[in-house]
Structure formats: C-alpha cells, structure tokens
Amino acid sequence: MVEEKCERTYTENTFPKYDIEKPIPISDVKPVDKLRIKTRINEFDRILGGGIVAGSGVLIGGTPGIGKSTLLLQACQKFSEQGHLSLYITGEESAAQIKLRGERLCVMSENIFLVAENNLNVILEHIRKINPKLVIIDSIQAMFKPGLESSPGTVSQVRQCANELIYLSKKTGSSVFLVGHVTKQGMIAGPKVLEHLVDTVLYFEGEKFMSFRILRAVKNRFGPTNEIGIFEMCRDGLREVENPSEIFLSRTQRFNSGSAIISCIEGTRALLIEVQALVTKSNFGIPERKVSGIDYNRVAMIIAVLEKRVGLLLGGHDVFVNVVGGIRVDEPAVDLGIAIAIASSFNDKVIPSEMVMIGELGLGGEVRGVNQFDSRLREAERLGFKSVIIPKDNSKDASGAKSLKMIKVSSLVEAIDNIW
Ligand code: TYD
Ligand code: MG
C-alpha cells in the first residue's frame, strides 16, 4: 500500500508538492533554540550545540565499525524515553540484526520504529506517515532513488537521496541523521559530497582497536565547531567519558624520560594530554622521525629548533613522538611540551610529573603566547598539577590559578634551564 502511494506522489515530480513560503520580517522568525530537543547523552548534546535542532540534517561519518549505528540507536532510546517517536531505517542490516544490537544496548521501546528499506520513495512515505521527531538513515550510501540510472553509493544517488530527505525534514520538522561510511582509502561517493547539504557534520575519530571514540563537529550551523565528545566503547554500548583529561594521561606515574604533559583546546574545552618522545641512536645513515597523533612537519620544525637554538645534536638520532590515548593534537600551543619531551629523552632526564607545558615555539627558539590561556590553567589546577611552564606573553592573564606555580619563560633555552 505504501509503495502504491509513493508511486503516485513521485512519478511526476522529484520533490513533493511545493508550498510557497512567504518572506517574513527577521524579527518574527522563530528562534532555533526553542526547537531543540536534548538527547540527554551529554557529550552528544554538547557537540550538537545543546541538543538536536528540529528539522535539521546531520551527517555522521566514520570508518565502518567505529560506533555510528550504536550511538544513534542509543540516541533513539533516550529520545523515546522522553515520549518522542523515532524512525530507524537500516539499509545494511536486517531489522532483526538491529533488534539484536538493541537488546545488547537495552534499547527497547514502542516509540522506536524500525524498518529495513533501501528505496528512497518508500522511506519518504514512511517518514510522512509516522511523522517521527528523529529519523536515522543507516547508511545514506545504501539508499537509492528509483529512476536514477546509477547504482546506490554513487555520487548522484547519494546526493539525490540526501537532498530529498533533507528537504522533507525541513518541511516536517523531523531531524534526519545520515550515516556515511568513510573508508581509509576515501570513498568515491563518501560523505564529503554531502557536507554542504547538511546543517551539521560529525566525524567519529579513533582507532578501532582502542576503546575510546572521539566524535568531532567539523561543521555546525547551530553550535560551536571543533567541539568534541569523548566516548568509550563498552560491552553495552558507548559510554560518555566524563573526565576526558584523565584518559589522555597515562595512569601509571611518569617515571620515564621523554614524557611531558601538554595542554590542548578541543572545541570549548581544555584537555591535558601526555606526549611521549623517544630519542635513540640511529643505526643507519638517515635518522628516522616517526610521529603519531601530531603533524609530522610540526615535529620536524621543533627538532630543527632544538638543534639550532638549544644545540641538541639530533642529526644522528631517531626520534619518535606519540600522543597518548589516540587523540590528534593540531595546535601550536603544544610545541613547547613536545620540544621538552624530546630534550628530556635525549638527555635521559625525567620531567617532574606534576608539571604542565604551555607555549608555542617560534623558529628563533622564542616561546610565544597562546589563546584561551585561562581555561588551560584551570584544567591543570583542577587535575591537581603543581606547576606550569608558561609563555611570558601570557603573564598578565596568569593571576587566576592560585595553587599553581607559574614558571614564566620567553625562550626554549630558558624553559629547559628552569626544569633541569
Ligand atoms: P557499530 O555501531 O556497528 O559501527 P558502525 O555503525 O560505525 O559501523 O559498532 C560496531 C563495533 O562496536 C563492533 O566492532 C562491536 C562494537 N560494539 C561494542 O563493543 N559494544 C556494543 O555494545 C556494541 C553494540 C558494539
Ligand atoms: Mg553501522
């Protein structure tokens, strides 16, 4: 029956009948915040900018197996507990498979509708009939629009399906989440082609073999971008990590040389993260530099500064740098910490474990000021650190954290002299 109705609606026009909206004064437009619904998964709500905005389109990308379906099913459950309807459309698994996962996650509610379907026309009809607050399309690459020549997963199919789903969601006020797989090789019709169509783009980061998952908002029309949510994949689904800094600091006390604590801003939050460096004598002619969790070129620059400005002869040594916990740091404010970690391993001298490093390095070996200095200090204080090496440029903002000993430096040499 559903299919018959679809045929009628969709043979003439690509889009459903068009209701013309009248232009209205900007002052009369309904504010978005009033239309938000919280999922009550705090980390998820935060990266969405405070909950799901009615009628919004969200793309959620990530490599297969990272936890996209799990998170969205959990969000459906939270939604249903508040009495809202959600519709989960699976194009890859059977409804029974989803139910099986649901049982594992304790997701069981009359308010969650489940259907295994790939035909876009039928899907649109389901959405109109059920009129849910939340629609999950898992995945957009599995859906197809009948009548288009190309097969599911191609650019034209993915784009057309996404366009029509987003159009309908804006009209009906249901929010639609599109799951998009990204492969390490980069899919031809990957989620990238959809980024401009949707309001919010979230990407799951993290390695499959590690239990932590980072969900990052790379675009958000309704909230801050670059905000991250941190989850841990457990036997019963994704759990929020309430104290993220703690997972990026290794749990054992830091007795080894080469380990430094840096401060990093992710979205609106400051995190403290441990970086480790290992410097060993090269066995071959060309020394190796291997990094993980940080830009290779940045580390190469820091090594050059250490050689030229501090006089550390790293030319005959291999250098390995690793960021603990599988997170990626992409911020100049971590430069000083990385330089100190490398120097610590080279000299085989331990950095005091209660110390945090903050500062950007210039090519002249100078330490520059950083932004959002205050929140970095507060996080260090909250986690019980005792001292911080800070750029002199930031001295005037350093009045806040009373329990921290501030060591103000203007150059890398000065910082090293102060530690050892
Ligand atoms: P899934 O959400 O199916 O990934 P995606 O939709 O992104 O492809 O997650 C699958 C992985 O998560 C799989 O390796 C099993 C694991 N997992 C758990 O560890 N605990 C759980 O409760 C669930 C549901 C999955
Ligand atoms: Mg999945």
Side-chain angles (χ1 to χ4, degrees):
M1 208 182 95
V2 167
E3 260 157 337
E4 267 176 38
K5 204 167 166 201
C6 286
E7 286 307 309
R8 213 162 12 88
T9 332
Y10 281 95
T11 40
E12 295 163 21
N13 264 325
T14 311
F15 288 122
K17 229 169 71 207
Y18 198 64
D19 322 324
I20 295 174
E21 255 180 44
K22 279 200 208 119
I24 51 169
I26 190 165
S27 51
D28 295 353
V29 179
K30 268 193 260 168
V32 152
D33 265 346
K34 297 235 164 83
L35 306 169
R36 276 185 205 272
I37 303 178
K38 284 204 187 319
T39 60
R40 299 192 184 158
I41 303 175
N42 293 338
E43 291 288 287
F44 196 36
D45 285 337
R46 216 200 39 255
I47 58 169
L48 288 167
I52 300 176
V53 175
S56 65
V58 180
L59 173 68
I60 173 161
T63 48
I66 195 124
K68 303 179 292 295
S69 309
T70 306
L71 178 66
L72 292 174
L73 206 54
Q74 287 178 277
C76 286
Q77 172 68 18
K78 293 281 188 183
F79 239 62
S80 71
E81 286 167 8
Q82 302 173 54
H84 301 305
L85 291 187
S86 49
L87 173 60
Y88 195 110
I89 296 156
T90 164
E92 293 175 356
E93 297 166 271
S94 65
Q97 277 174 305
I98 301 282
K99 182 178 165 138
L100 207 67
R101 182 187 286 122
E103 279 170 356
R104 193 171 165 185
L105 303 172
C106 301
V107 171
M108 215 42 71
S109 165
E110 290 173 353
N111 291 338
I112 305 174
F113 288 77
L114 208 58
V115 61
E117 183 57 68
N118 300 78
N119 184 336
L120 181 74
N121 292 349
V122 182
I123 293 171
L124 293 174
E125 194 54 32
H126 286 318
I127 297 175
R128 278 206 215 97
K129 274 200 159 164
I130 297 174
N131 194 20
K133 282 266 191 294
L134 179 64
V135 180
I136 312 288
I137 306 290
D138 191 359
S139 70
I140 188 68
Q141 280 123 333
M143 305 305 166
F144 73 98
K145 164 94 185 160
L148 282 187
E149 296 265 302
S150 43
S151 46
T154 51
V155 174
S156 50
Q157 280 285 5
V158 165
R159 205 178 269 160
Q160 183 69 25
C161 291
N163 246 324
E164 293 195 28
L165 284 162
I166 287 163
Y167 178 83
L168 185 64
S169 79
K170 294 261 182 282
K171 286 276 145 202
T172 58
S174 25
S175 309
V176 57
F177 276 70
L178 307 173
V179 172
H181 293 296
V182 227
T183 55
K184 284 260 153 72
Q185 293 77 33
M187 284 271 303
I188 320 155
K192 285 276 170 211
V193 300
L194 300 178
E195 283 187 353
H196 65 283
L197 292 178
V198 292
D199 300 306
T200 304
V201 179
L202 310 177
Y203 278 109
F204 255 118
E205 295 171 8
E207 300 294 335
K208 251 199 321 198
F209 51 83
M210 294 187 56
S211 63
F212 295 109
R213 305 281 193 270
I214 293 158
L215 189 59
R216 187 185 296 273
V218 294
K219 163 181 172 180
N220 196 351
R221 287 185 183 147
F222 309 117
T225 41
N226 260 328
E227 191 67 90
I228 61 167
I230 301 172
F231 299 91
E232 183 172 11
M233 182 61 95
C234 304
R235 285 172 54 190
D236 54 352
L238 285 163
R239 261 192 230 151
E240 299 171 57
V241 174
E242 278 163 15
N243 208 345
S245 282
E246 280 174 8
I247 62 169
F248 299 118
L249 302 175
S250 62
R251 284 168 192 170
T252 50
Q253 227 185 327
R254 291 169 288 277
F255 290 120
N256 296 329
S257 61
S259 157
I261 308 299
I262 54 170
S263 157
C264 192
I265 298 283
E266 287 290 351
T268 51
R269 262 195 311 204
L271 296 179
L272 291 187
I273 297 170
E274 180 181 351
V275 281
Q276 297 176 328
L278 186 65
V279 180
T280 54
K281 256 197 145 36
S282 289
N283 288 323
F284 305 104
I286 304 166
E288 279 201 81
R289 276 90 178 83
K290 294 256 187 263
V291 304
S292 129
I294 181 164
D295 181 36
Y296 176 86
N297 294 323
R298 196 93 207 157
V299 175
M301 185 206 90
I302 293 169
I303 291 174
V305 172
L306 279 166
E307 289 210 344
K308 183 87 179 171
R309 308 293 174 197
V310 185
L312 234 56
L313 299 174
L314 291 160
H317 289 77
D318 297 337
V319 179
F320 304 90
V321 176
N322 177 43
V323 180
V324 172
I327 193 171
R328 227 193 124 70
V329 295
D330 268 325
E331 226 203 327
V334 304
D335 291 353
L336 178 65
I338 288 164
I340 304 269
I342 296 173
S344 155
S345 178
F346 181 83
N347 296 324
D348 207 15
K349 285 184 183 161
V350 181
I351 302 169
S353 65
E354 313 279 78
M355 187 181 263
V356 178
M357 327 269 159
I358 304 173
E360 177 183 345
L361 270 191
L363 291 182
E366 75 275 19
V367 175
R368 301 226 183 97
V370 300
N371 58 6
Q372 302 192 47
F373 183 67
D374 195 43
S375 26
R376 295 175 203 265
L377 283 191
R378 265 185 280 123
E379 182 69 358
E381 196 176 30
R382 193 178 69 81
L383 289 169
F385 284 88
K386 299 276 186 294
S387 58
V388 207
I389 301 222
I390 62 165
K392 266 214 177 98
D393 296 351
N394 284 116
S395 319
K396 58 180 184 319
D397 325 317
S399 53
K402 296 268 180 307
S403 66
L404 289 170
K405 183 180 164 212
M406 313 272 179
I407 303 166
K408 297 163 191 159
V409 299
S410 55
S411 70
L412 180 55
V413 174
E414 208 182 324
I416 291 175
D417 286 347
N418 264 294
I419 300 173
W420 299 295

